[in-house]
Amino acid sequence: MTLDEAAPVAPAPRRRAGGDPVKTLLHRHRALCERAVDPLEIAAGLEVQGITDRTAARFRHRDVFSLAEELYARTPRGDEPAAPRTVRPSDARALRGFGYALLPGALALGAAAAAVPYAGPVAVLATVAALVWPARPGRTGRAAAGRFPYAALLLAAAVVGWAVLRHGTPLGVGLALAAAPGHLVGAVYAARARSRLAGSRALEDFTDRARPLLIAAALAFAATAAGAAALAGTPSAVAVPLAVLLFLTRLLLAHGAPRGPVAAALALALLPTPLAVPAAAAGLLVHAVLVLSRASAHARP
């Protein structure tokens, strides 16, 4: 027996299946990682793809946020470091947006005060345009709400038109007057949600912090809608649930939510029963709490 035959043969080192799993994930989501301006956008995009904190644990990370930070750091961006996104002054745009939000209430109130023949339809159109027409939908490269959500707009117009036909022009005026506070509450909610996303270290952490924020926004808008209804001389019990339904519709579409549940809630509100609109608003609120508590709903477009 030779020396070579007698010496034990050392087993070849076993290679891990898949090699570098994070590198594989980086290749799979390269477009997302190269397009992102910060790790938060990668985390939101991974969430859209179904990657959760439990999935991130298989990549030796405690959560999706930590995994996104590694993906962002390992994404090649050329010789020069990627320039951070510059925040352009938006005071003029914000002021212009609030001015547009004031127009529906002024138009409806003026038409009603002048006793024009079509004050009711004017109020309906102004309300639908202000509270339902969303901002640019879709986040992280997707447009779940569609570019022009005609179905939701038509259903909202039918809901408001039917309600104004039954309860009179003051209801339409009250809803139109709620457009401006709806614009403000929606803008504040979006900013606060983005801020809480930046301060979160896990998807569950953001969810726990985002849900109370949405409920507070809905309550704040309901209070302002009650004030608008009192100013227009229409019962709050009729105006507030309908205003909240429209506010949630706009909020969901603006954040890229699917149109199906929104359309279903609006269709429910068309049923000829007094509890139809409150039930639709409550159901849509539950849906909004679930959908808008996801990080992907608040990532930059």
Side-chain angles (χ1 to χ4, degrees):
M1 179 180 297
T2 64
L3 182 61
D4 291 340
E5 292 175 341
V9 178
R14 299 177 62 183
R15 300 182 60 184
R16 287 187 306 162
D20 185 352
V22 177
K23 185 177 181 180
T24 303
L25 192 68
L26 178 62
H27 283 293
R28 188 181 307 165
H29 301 282
R30 177 172 295 275
L32 168 66
C33 296
E34 291 178 347
R35 185 175 62 246
V37 298
D38 55 36
L40 294 177
E41 294 191 14
I42 298 179
L46 294 177
E47 185 192 36
V48 173
Q49 302 297 326
I51 296 179
T52 64
D53 291 342
R54 181 175 299 179
T55 309
R58 298 205 301 264
F59 297 94
R60 300 186 183 90
H61 283 273
R62 65 182 181 275
D63 51 48
V64 175
F65 279 59
S66 175
L67 176 61
E69 286 177 347
E70 180 177 350
L71 290 173
Y72 183 78
R74 294 178 60 174
T75 300
R77 303 179 188 279
D79 296 332
E80 297 181 358
R85 176 176 291 186
T86 57
V87 181
R88 302 177 61 182
S90 58
D91 293 343
R93 184 173 58 183
L95 185 60
R96 185 168 58 249
F98 181 64
Y100 291 155
L102 288 172
L103 287 178
L107 182 62
L109 193 61
V116 298
Y118 298 103
V122 167
V124 170
L125 293 177
T127 299
V128 172
L131 284 179
V132 179
W133 191 268
R136 292 167 59 186
R139 295 296 185 268
T140 62
R142 66 192 179 99
R147 191 175 180 86
F148 298 105
Y150 291 125
L153 290 173
L154 291 175
L155 281 171
V159 170
V160 179
W162 174 239
V164 171
L165 181 64
R166 288 188 298 167
H167 300 283
T169 300
L171 174 60
V173 175
L175 295 174
L177 289 174
H183 172 84
L184 285 178
V185 172
V188 171
Y189 166 75
R192 294 291 300 276
R194 179 68 187 179
S195 175
R196 295 194 178 191
L197 176 60
S200 300
R201 299 307 307 162
L203 296 178
E204 289 83 356
D205 181 26
F206 173 74
T207 297
D208 293 340
R209 302 170 70 185
R211 286 176 177 172
L213 181 62
L214 176 62
I215 295 174
L219 291 175
F221 175 74
T224 60
L231 184 62
T234 188
S236 296
V238 175
V240 172
L242 184 53
V244 171
L245 176 64
L246 297 175
F247 172 72
L248 293 173
T249 296
R250 181 187 185 278
L251 208 60
L252 285 164
L253 294 180
H255 285 80
R259 287 174 292 179
V262 175
L266 293 172
L268 174 62
L270 286 171
L271 295 179
T273 173
L275 295 180
V277 173
L284 199 58
L285 177 60
V286 173
H287 175 68
V289 167
L290 297 176
V291 172
L292 298 183
S293 61
R294 303 183 64 188
S296 54
H298 304 280
R300 292 186 181 94

